Amino acid sequence: MSPFLLVLLCLVVGILAYRRQLRFLHIFQQEEYDNERFLNWFKKERAFDLLASLALLVAQFSASSALYALALVGIGFIAYTEPNPTQQARKTLNLTERAQRLLQLALFLSLLLGAIIILINRDYTALGMLATLQVLPFALVIANNIFKSHQEKLNQGFLDEAKQKLAIVHPNVIGITGSFGKTSTKHILHHILSSQIPTLTTPGSVNTPLGIARIIREQLTNSHQYFVAEMGAYGPGSIARLCELTPPTHSAITALGEAHYERFKNLETVAQAKFEIAQSSLSRGGKVVLQVDSMRNIHYAQEFIKQHRENLILVGCESSKETVDFYIESPIQDKQGIHFTLIDTKKEISYSVHAPIYGLAQCSNVAIAIILATLAGISFNTAIAAVASTLQIPHRMQVLTLPNGTTLIDNAYNSNPVGFASSLDLLMTLAGNEKRRVLITPGLVELGAQHHAIHRELGVLAAKYVDILLLVNPKRVPTFYQGFTEATFGRLQRLCIPVDTLKDAQKWLDTKGTDKDVILIENDLPDVYFKWQHR
């Protein structure tokens, strides 16, 4: 075989290996560099190389220069069309120093294996290149293990630096957690506090130790009197570790529910994990605000409330008014936002609350934020006045008017059944019977054993409100499709259109959408939840 073709083939395979490794690294990063979860994803998706390996087999065993050249062209085309996850992704690959280290070492190990095979027997050049492609994902895991000790030292250094800075500035810390609603509550509380007190808040959905530590290291200044931290639970003990990093004086648990069921398996475990924030606050003599409607049938939560009742502030709906400190009365939603009356049961005082945000599920988040603000010394009236100018929360029931006049409800960051139901109610409120109601959704994630049952319920509920359903990746949520298509509410105009991706849904709207549509985007899954595209 021509040395020129051989060198060219090596070059093309090297380029493909680099671009393919970027894709694997993208998934690895979304799986939080967890070896087991990444390998489970790889096994589930069967993400080994197919087409390029077949071309290399052709090149290896072909005596024809024409077939060899054809294989070379095929692999070159695959390399050229390989997606770049730093640019083409729902959540792009962030090439941090850690990611770059893993990429470089994993790619080196993969290429080294191929080179060793070629050096042992040059008759197996193409097979050496094939081995390089097939070993790419496993090389990432090996590289991660090699750097494990180094990474742990780096991480601990970042955490220690954040702790030291927090101890020097010494702001009052408010922690917020919950199965859902924590990011919205944090957003609202920040708006209230920052109108009166210099406040730093973790942005977006940043809720992990390293994410919070980075915000402290880079943004906390001596002027900040309050630090508001969202705390995510990835298993028992994770919130306790966050509380060691940022010890909260006061805290809140916004709700307990099925979100992240896949990690926790049952609500009792969810409660134990979430209430670690309450234990931390109470140990410092602080108060804990609880939304108790979602906790009624959870034994651990009820026992905790009984034991610590005097230091807890309970919030609920009107049906809970005999047992809570504050309850929400007459919640309504219109085109101007949400409205409700907040009743202080001890003082028998009522407050009229309006927030220009959407989703009736937000009423309890607003109430919790107001109460937390009062614990910081802000009066109820001042907090309520501030709430009236709250900005919409990006990707959480965010209502937008598109250039063509279409109304868009962006609830792309929702991943829980309560928020899903609330967004469907908002769709009905904004569309009424005059406009076409369009739902785009891939369903929810991390529901564990409840996955099929909950999606069937949501499918039935969607059938009650939706005219057109653009169901993304329907094979992942078959019961949603069944619930939607089989439900009967006397409306015969429902239409379900399966699509592979959100982009495909957008293409459908580009050709068949109208300015009379109200479109709800309900959840936009990370790339890890979509079918691996073999190339």
Side-chain angles (χ1 to χ4, degrees), residues 118-144:
I118 293 170
L119 290 173
I120 290 174
N121 192 331
R122 294 193 179 184
D123 291 336
Y124 295 128
T125 297
L127 289 183
M129 298 180 200
L130 186 150
T132 290
L133 293 180
Q134 295 293 356
V135 82
L136 288 171
F138 308 105
L140 270 179
V141 173
I142 294 170
N144 196 40

Side-chain angles (χ1 to χ4, degrees), residues 136-152:
L136 288 171
F138 308 105
L140 270 179
V141 173
I142 294 170
N144 196 40
N145 286 335
I146 290 173
F147 282 127
K148 183 178 179 181
S149 177
H150 174 70
Q151 190 63 48
E152 287 176 349

